[in-house]
Every structure is written in structure tokens, then in C-alpha cells.
Amino acid sequence: MLSDKPQLFSNYFKQLFAQVTNPPIDCLREEIVTSAHRHGGEAEHPLNPRRESCRLIELKSPILTNEQLEKLRQVKEPGFRSLTLPILFDPEGAGRSAQSHGRSFAAADRAVAGA
């Protein structure tokens, strides 16, 4: 900025950007926030714990392998039910994808309502 030599316009922002970036996340102290663990099952109120509150399936990652997905599909415990919904559609024609998504959403809503 104080130089007489011409510089690229972007050079003026390089240091300013580095000064305003957030510090790295401390995964040990912020484990609850950064955790990828997920729990599946009926959510109970945390301030009113009951025996049924302990019936959850813990997933260590939101990304499942084929084997993990198949295990979830085969769970036969009371209170857990799985349903496989087809999401295939004919790509020819306008709006077919949206119509197919609408049918999938409606089928999912019916499955949850019937649980």
C-alpha cells in the first residue's frame, strides 16, 4: 500500500483476510459440537427421563456403509421399524423429478403416520 510499485488489487486483502479468520476448533473441548455421532429412535424429553429414553441406536457417522444400512434395515426390536422407499424416476420430461420427490415425501409421511 505504501509502495510506489504497482501491485495486484487482491494483494491488499490477503493479510486482512488472515486476520479475521476463526481459530481452529479444539476437538477435545468442543466434542459435543463437533461430534459426528447420531442417535436414531424416538426422542424423549431430556428433562423427563424414562426407561424408554434409553432405546436409541447410536451411529458413529452419518455416512453408512452398505453393511451398516442392512443392519439397520434388519432391526427387529419393539419400537423400531424400517421401510425402504424407492426414489427412482423417469428422467424424460419436465417436472418428473419434482413429481417423484413429491410421491416419495408423501409415502414417507404415510409411513411415519402409520407407525
Side-chain angles (χ1 to χ4, degrees):
M1 191 163 157
L2 301 175
S3 173
D4 292 334
K5 297 178 183 175
Q7 294 187 24
L8 294 174
F9 185 68
S10 61
N11 287 347
Y12 294 110
F13 300 101
K14 201 176 286 185
Q15 185 60 37
L16 291 177
F17 176 74
Q19 291 173 352
V20 297
T21 57
N22 292 328
I25 293 175
D26 182 353
C27 64
L28 296 176
R29 291 178 183 81
E30 298 182 19
E31 183 177 0
I32 293 173
V33 177
T34 61
S35 175
H37 285 174
R38 298 288 175 254
H39 293 91
E42 223 176 297
E44 297 286 332
H45 195 282
L47 299 178
N48 185 18
R50 300 188 327 217
R51 186 174 199 173
E52 294 82 20
S53 302
C54 299
R55 296 183 47 228
L56 297 173
I57 296 175
E58 180 182 3
L59 303 173
K60 296 191 187 284
S61 169
I63 301 171
L64 301 177
T65 64
N66 288 335
E67 293 80 19
Q68 292 169 325
L69 179 61
E70 192 56 36
K71 281 182 186 178
L72 285 176
R73 291 177 67 196
Q74 300 303 323
V75 171
K76 301 293 185 209
E77 295 293 324
F80 290 99
R81 190 174 72 126
S82 68
L83 175 68
T84 302
L85 297 173
I87 58 171
L88 302 174
F89 66 94
D90 183 6
E92 300 297 323
R96 302 248 175 144
S97 173
Q99 291 171 355
S100 178
H101 282 85
R103 285 192 299 273
S104 295
F105 294 151
D109 287 342
R110 285 191 303 273
V112 170

